[in-house]
Amino acid sequence: MEAFKLKTLADLFDAADERVELIDGEIVQRPMARIEHGFAQSNTVAELDSLRRTSGPGGWWIASEVSVHYSDHQCPTHDLAGWRKERLPERPSGVVEIVPDWVCEIVSPGHERKDTLTLFLLLQRQQVSYYWLIWPEERSLVAWQLDGGSYRVIASVAAPGPDERKMRIPPFDAVEIDLGYILGD
């Protein structure tokens, strides 16, 4: 019987398919992008754009489809990831090896376990301060904040009504975010 060999970043670079990521030492196929996913992702970036344009304290580097190399056997590609400019003054490049301050995943049908469990636990271990999940089909968002080494829910919105449409959700509580726009109104 042959032993299972955990894959590394070198194996990921050697992969013929570019729509793959390294999760728990396995090369994993990324889901096919759906229009709901694309709208949620691009609308979130649009809502946070003023923070990306800020220089100095309060500014962010926010990127979509970015690979983050956390360890020998972990290099997922996040739908969205952000780094505070005060912590990372220079714009990151290539496969990023610095833990983000915020990660947002747009949950794809059939890949819920990866986003809600596998990445949740990985990001918690890596001390990513904020983790957001968006379900575009259900028009919902859940945001977690690291608290004493574990995540706790700081916002949970499903099909936002008029009173929930605009909210301030950490780490971006400096701006009002139009959740109706992000979630497909």
Side-chain angles (χ1 to χ4, degrees):
M1 178 183 245
E2 191 173 322
F4 178 74
K5 179 185 175 274
L6 294 174
K7 305 289 189 218
T8 66
L9 188 60
D11 297 307
L12 186 61
F13 284 137
D14 289 342
D17 189 348
E18 288 191 19
R19 288 208 41 92
V20 293
E21 55 193 335
L22 180 63
I23 306 282
D24 294 335
E26 290 186 55
I27 305 292
V28 178
Q29 182 74 36
R30 299 192 61 231
M32 180 181 292
R34 303 163 344 279
I35 192 76
E36 296 84 2
H37 183 285
F39 282 139
Q41 188 170 340
S42 62
N43 292 354
T44 301
V45 170
E47 280 297 294
L48 301 175
D49 194 50
S50 65
L51 296 169
R52 295 185 328 152
R53 294 175 180 267
T54 303
S55 60
W60 284 79
W61 301 112
I62 297 174
S64 60
E65 302 299 321
V66 60
S67 297
V68 179
H69 185 219
Y70 292 101
S71 67
D72 287 344
H73 308 294
Q74 303 285 3
C75 188
T77 299
H78 297 303
D79 292 325
L80 296 165
W83 295 261
R84 294 177 191 273
K85 288 182 180 177
E86 58 198 28
R87 188 170 73 86
L88 184 63
E90 298 297 317
R91 182 177 142 179
S93 64
V95 173
V96 182
E97 303 218 1
I98 297 165
V99 173
D101 295 297
W102 168 78
V103 168
C104 178
E105 295 294 346
I106 317 299
V107 180
S108 298
H111 294 263
E112 297 89 351
R113 181 178 172 85
K114 181 190 91 167
D115 295 330
T116 61
L117 181 63
T118 306
L119 287 180
F120 181 94
L121 294 173
L122 170 66
L123 298 177
Q124 186 172 257
R125 276 192 315 273
Q126 295 296 321
Q127 301 291 287
V128 173
S129 298
Y130 296 90
Y131 184 41
W132 291 12
L133 284 177
I134 296 174
W135 288 266
E137 285 83 0
E138 286 81 30
R139 298 186 55 242
S140 64
L141 175 145
V142 177
W144 289 271
Q145 180 176 0
L146 203 60
D147 182 10
S150 298
Y151 280 131
R152 68 176 170 82
V153 174
I154 56 170
S156 181
V157 179
D163 295 341
E164 298 175 305
R165 185 173 172 96
K166 292 198 175 189
M167 294 181 71
R168 294 179 185 272
I169 304 173
F172 307 116
D173 41 346
V175 296
E176 254 188 356
I177 299 169
D178 187 341
L179 293 176
Y181 178 63
I182 289 174
L183 299 174
D185 273 355

